[in-house]
Amino acid sequence: MSRTRAAAPPTPSRTPSRRRTALLAACTMIAATGATATALSTSAGAAAPGCTVNYQVTNQWNTGFGANVTVTNTGDPVSSWTLEWTYAGNQRITQSWNATTTQSGAAVTARNVSYNGSLATGGSTSFGFNASYSGTNAVPTTFKLNGVTCNGGPGGPTDPPPTDPPPSGSRVDNPYAGAKVYVNPEWSAKAAAEPGGTRVSNQPTGVWLDRIAAINGVNGGMGLRAHLDEALRQKGTGELAIQLVIYNLPGRDCAALASNGELGPTEIDKYKTQYIDPIAAILADPKYAGLRIVTTVEIDSLPNLVTNVTPRPTATPNCDVMKANGNYVKGVGYALNKLGAVGNVYNYVDAGHHGWLGWDDNFNGSAELFKQAATAEGSTVSKVHGFIVNTANYSALKEDHFKIEDTINGVSVRQSKWVDWNRYTDELSYAQAMRAKLVSLGFDQNLGMLIDTSRNGWGGTARPTGPGPTTNVDTYVNGGRYDRRIHLGNWCNQAGAGLGERPKAAPAAGIDAYVWMKPPGESDGASSEIPNDEGKGFDRMCDPTYTGNPRNGNSMSGALPNAPVSGHWFSAQFQELMRNAHPAL
């Protein structure tokens, strides 16, 4: 499938229930070890500021570390916020996202950015940063929210009280926490048959239901029930999550050809009755009630109605049709409503990636459209457990060698040809910002994000080890960026790509999991026209000789040669992904 174009230690599980209505007025510091300490927050006067702070070191090495901070307002609503703390050592923040940070000596001040300043009572937002240090890296003991101290510093971190695991099949905050994740035996066998493939063939990947026939199995392959039965076998006596990709909208992927689907633009009733309804009926079988069923809903759909419609220069006639008939919104809303009615289903909606939606008009318009779809066809925001970003795409998880606030010779990194005025440089910062925006629009404050890391490692000999030359902003960015694509808009079978972070639960603030939703080794699209009965067209972006279009800055496509139809096994791509994996295999 395609992605449409446009210009460490795990985090402790959040709360047992996503539907909590209040929080204790306490300031809580959480270290990388998961240790906690609490201090009551009070103030005088009519306003009653209070906070809960989750400070987590997500990654640490001998000279630096990364951290994520989630602040929850337990006092009166605020329209802007400032969080302050002081380090006990020589920690220095070098890069931040979703907040503006300044530092004077050991004192740090973090202020909201334009989209996450408003915090209702019980509202929360997250930001992150990278920092340098030497010696010890103690967690700050005191925080101030808008100048009011969270009093009574901790005497030292203590382990949190033990909690009993939820009964099997009960609703949980993060379906990946404390659970195995389903290994698709069909993909695993293909991976294991490749030279060196056994190094990754035990990894969990998504099961793609990309046409009606896939429900019962295609060409003798496993259908949905067969996968669920195998998931029960793999589950044993523990917990297991199985990942399904719901991917068959009418007029699917209107801005590309390689992943077009079987249903025409007007076939919304067929989508409902012959695709979603049978899937929902199978998932509702009590036999599968003990599984945690993760559904990622309709990749490549809703953002097209923002970025690829008239009067945008990237508009396509097909996307104009889908916006006019409303069948993307109706289809997603119907799927969320029907699937979300099953108690052990966790719906995650596709939210593109930073190279598609990282610009303000794309970002805000798409978030509002997600809200519209989540409340269509009888659905509500409560039927959305989270969102997934970077599915089947190549955007780097973290760019360490440049940040969006950098300037070179007085020129902002945002003006570089690569960043092109985007507000984000990588997927983690984008995912956390999108989460904050969606919460501000009314989605649950404990909304969880997934990041597909199946093909965004960008390791190998081409991986930079430091910033680029400061000759100008372009040499600085291009010399330091991990993502080695010719252009950020390139999406098909990219040369030089590598496996990224292995799937893991709760790796960063607001992130439910890193996942391999796109099975590595499955093609994005054919590099030349190949007749097929799957409704998949030939997209020149998959042709390595293609010189591009306005969506990729009229650049070469960067695609690998000799690729099969999308979804079919592509051995050369799989070998390239293993060769360039980061972390290395």
Side-chain angles (χ1 to χ4, degrees):
M1 59 143 301
S2 71
R3 301 301 294 136
T4 308
R5 289 71 47 213
T11 307
S13 178
R14 292 190 292 279
T15 63
S17 171
R18 261 176 210 276
R19 308 301 164 215
R20 68 188 184 202
T21 58
L23 292 167
L24 295 176
C27 184
T28 303
M29 286 70 73
I30 301 183
T33 60
T36 63
T38 61
L40 255 342
S41 170
T42 60
S43 68
C51 68
T52 299
V53 174
N54 178 327
Y55 177 107
Q56 173 148 18
V57 176
T58 57
N59 189 23
Q60 184 167 308
W61 56 100
N62 59 353
T63 60
F65 67 98
N68 284 283
V69 180
T70 300
V71 57
T72 301
N73 176 30
T74 60
D76 291 343
V78 297
S79 58
S80 62
W81 54 264
T82 300
L83 190 69
E84 300 170 273
W85 69 89
T86 300
Y87 282 117
N90 63 352
Q91 298 95 328
R92 297 289 301 182
I93 292 179
T94 57
Q95 177 188 19
S96 63
W97 48 92
N98 299 334
T100 301
T101 57
T102 57
Q103 186 168 354
S104 177
V108 177
T109 301
R111 294 182 174 87
N112 66 272
V113 289
S114 61
Y115 50 79
N116 65 357
S118 179
L119 289 179
T121 302
S124 63
T125 190
S126 299
F127 62 93
F129 60 86
N130 291 326
S132 62
Y133 82 103
S134 62
T136 60
N137 183 24
V139 174
T141 59
T142 303
F143 290 87
K144 290 182 180 180
L145 177 66
N146 288 354
V148 177
T149 303
C150 297
N151 295 316
T158 58
D159 289 334
T163 57
D164 293 328
S168 182
S170 64
R171 194 85 181 162
V172 295
D173 178 59
N174 180 352
Y176 292 87
K180 296 182 289 187
V181 186
Y182 177 66
V183 177
N184 181 346
E186 294 184 311
W187 174 82
S188 181
K190 293 175 184 176
E194 291 280 342
T198 55
R199 293 174 294 174
V200 296
S201 59
N202 63 341
Q203 293 291 346
T205 55
V207 174
W208 287 67
L209 302 174
D210 62 352
R211 54 195 132 150
I212 292 168
I215 299 171
N216 292 321
V218 179
N219 297 326
M222 296 172 69
L224 178 55
R225 280 194 178 274
H227 282 294
L228 294 170
D229 289 340
E230 171 63 14
L232 288 176
R233 188 194 69 79
Q234 292 184 21
K235 177 181 184 294
T237 59
E239 298 294 339
L240 182 136
I242 179 172
Q243 305 171 121
L244 307 177
V245 180
I246 307 301
Y247 187 53
N248 199 30
L249 271 181
R252 188 177 75 193
D253 202 1
C254 58
L257 298 173
S259 52
N260 288 164
E262 64 184 351
L263 299 180
T266 63
E267 293 187 281
I268 186 67
D269 290 337
K270 188 173 182 180
Y271 175 79
K272 292 178 178 180
T273 61
Q274 297 186 36
Y275 180 68
I276 294 298
D277 288 355
I279 291 173
I282 293 171
L283 300 186
D285 187 331
K287 178 181 182 181
Y288 306 121
L291 297 172
R292 299 176 183 179
I293 302 173
V294 170
T295 58
T296 53
V297 177
E298 293 300 353
I299 313 303
D300 288 331
S301 62
L302 296 172
N304 279 300
L305 306 185
V306 174
T307 65
N308 295 315
V309 295
T310 303
R312 294 292 188 94
T314 52
T316 71
N318 290 340
C319 290
D320 282 339
V321 167
M322 298 317 301
K323 182 175 182 179
N325 68 27
N327 284 341
Y328 276 8
V329 171
K330 294 173 189 175
V332 170
Y334 188 84
L336 293 172
N337 190 39
K338 291 288 288 190
L339 302 175
V342 182
N344 57 316
V345 166
Y346 299 80
N347 285 324
Y348 291 80
V349 180
D350 178 52
H353 54 89
H354 91 277
W356 184 5
L357 304 183
W359 293 266
D360 287 346
D361 50 355
N362 296 355
F363 185 95
N364 295 323
S366 294
E368 291 163 3
L369 192 61
F370 299 152
K371 173 74 173 293
Q372 181 185 347
T375 53
E377 297 290 306
S379 182
T380 65
V381 294
S382 66
K383 290 187 175 178
V384 177
H385 201 77
F387 286 77
I388 183 169
V389 302
N390 207 45
T391 308
N393 199 56
Y394 298 84
S395 294
L397 179 65
K398 301 176 187 177
E399 289 286 7
D400 296 326
H401 302 316
F402 65 99
K403 58 183 185 293
I404 208 72
E405 299 88 358
D406 287 350
T407 60
I408 301 298
N409 302 325
V411 179
S412 169
V413 155
R414 292 189 66 204
Q415 293 177 251
S416 67
K417 187 176 180 180
W418 175 257
V419 177
D420 191 25
W421 295 103
N422 202 309
R423 287 203 178 272
Y424 305 97
T425 60
D426 53 36
E427 283 306 294
L428 181 59
S429 61
Y430 166 75
Q432 291 172 327
M434 179 59 78
R435 178 187 177 278
K437 177 65 177 180
L438 293 165
V439 169
S440 77
L441 292 179
F443 286 92
D444 191 87
Q445 66 180 12
N446 283 333
L447 199 70
M449 305 296 285
L450 305 178
I451 302 178
D452 189 344
T453 58
S454 61
R455 305 188 299 177
N456 70 347
W458 295 105
T461 58
R463 184 178 178 86
T465 57
T470 56
T471 309
N472 57 56
V473 72
D474 287 319
T475 60
Y476 176 69
V477 171
N478 287 334
R481 60 182 168 94
Y482 296 139
D483 188 337
R484 304 314 298 173
R485 284 177 290 179
I486 298 169
H487 188 276
L488 193 58
N490 287 353
W491 53 267
C492 194
N493 300 325
Q494 290 299 285
L499 301 169
E501 289 283 344
R502 313 306 180 249
K504 66 175 71 173
I511 310 299
D512 278 352
Y514 296 153
V515 297
W516 284 7
M517 200 60 65
K518 171 72 173 182
E522 291 189 0
S523 174
D524 293 323
S527 49
S528 59
E529 189 165 2
I530 299 176
N532 64 89
D533 60 0
E534 301 172 29
K536 297 170 182 176
F538 168 53
D539 197 304
R540 288 297 306 280
M541 286 297 292
C542 300
D543 177 356
T545 69
Y546 185 47
T547 56
N549 56 48
R551 292 188 205 124
N552 80 330
N554 295 300
S555 304
M556 297 297 291
S557 70
L560 292 169
N562 305 314
V565 168
S566 65
H568 291 217
W569 190 255
F570 188 11
S571 176
Q573 183 204 59
F574 186 73
Q575 289 295 328
E576 181 127 332
L577 292 174
M578 289 195 298
R579 185 165 53 251
N580 297 319
H582 185 86
L585 297 177

